[in-house]
Amino acid sequence: MITHRGQNYYYANNKYYTQSRGRYIAIAPKVGFRIKVLPPNYRRVIFNTANYYVAQGVFYVEINNEYEVVDPEVGTVVYELPEDYEKVTIDGQTYYEYSNILYEKVQVDGTRAYEVVGIIDME
């Protein structure tokens, strides 16, 4: 169990969970959340000068031998989304959302990819 800003997180089956009303529900960790070891099956993504580690749609950067959850820069490209992403339509355009990150489907060298086009501010 890891506690971040008063929220308890549990990790199992390649996902984070929190307890709510006696049940465990899947949840994406919030920006600032830190872990000592990356989840399995992470991918390294480099964009501009950022060196991200992405696992299940969550972006991490290495800080002082730990990995902190961050929002990626707009323009960052990934080649897969987590299975529980949401498809959203904004002004007639289809986007994909996961953990408050908006993606647009793009082609990179003939391969389907997803480019970060915005972050949804929940404050």
Side-chain angles (χ1 to χ4, degrees):
M1 181 181 74
I2 300 169
T3 301
H4 175 69
R5 294 186 184 165
Q7 175 104 42
N8 291 334
Y9 292 86
Y10 305 88
Y11 189 79
N13 303 319
N14 293 326
K15 290 186 179 186
Y16 290 98
Y17 296 87
T18 191
Q19 199 168 20
S20 177
R21 299 183 192 149
R23 295 181 25 212
Y24 290 94
I25 56 170
I27 185 172
K30 296 183 177 26
V31 169
F33 178 86
R34 283 192 179 192
I35 55 176
K36 296 197 182 296
V37 178
L38 286 168
N41 303 323
Y42 71 86
R43 299 221 188 272
R44 189 166 156 218
V45 175
I46 298 171
F47 181 73
N48 287 336
T49 60
N51 191 21
Y52 297 112
Y53 299 92
V54 184
Q56 295 295 318
V58 178
F59 288 78
Y60 301 87
V61 293
E62 187 173 4
I63 299 173
N64 298 326
N65 297 320
E66 292 186 313
Y67 299 92
E68 183 172 317
V69 173
V70 296
D71 284 332
E73 292 178 65
V74 169
T76 303
V77 173
V78 296
Y79 289 89
E80 57 189 46
L81 295 177
E83 50 189 59
D84 46 351
Y85 69 85
E86 298 278 336
K87 193 182 269 193
V88 296
T89 303
I90 301 171
D91 296 330
Q93 181 79 18
T94 300
Y95 297 97
Y96 304 87
E97 183 270 332
Y98 182 78
S99 187
N100 299 328
I101 301 169
L102 275 182
Y103 300 87
E104 182 175 30
K105 192 185 299 185
V106 296
Q107 291 284 320
V108 175
D109 297 327
T111 301
R112 179 179 57 208
Y114 301 90
E115 181 176 343
V116 175
V117 294
I119 309 296
I120 300 170
D121 187 1
M122 299 300 285
E123 307 254 342

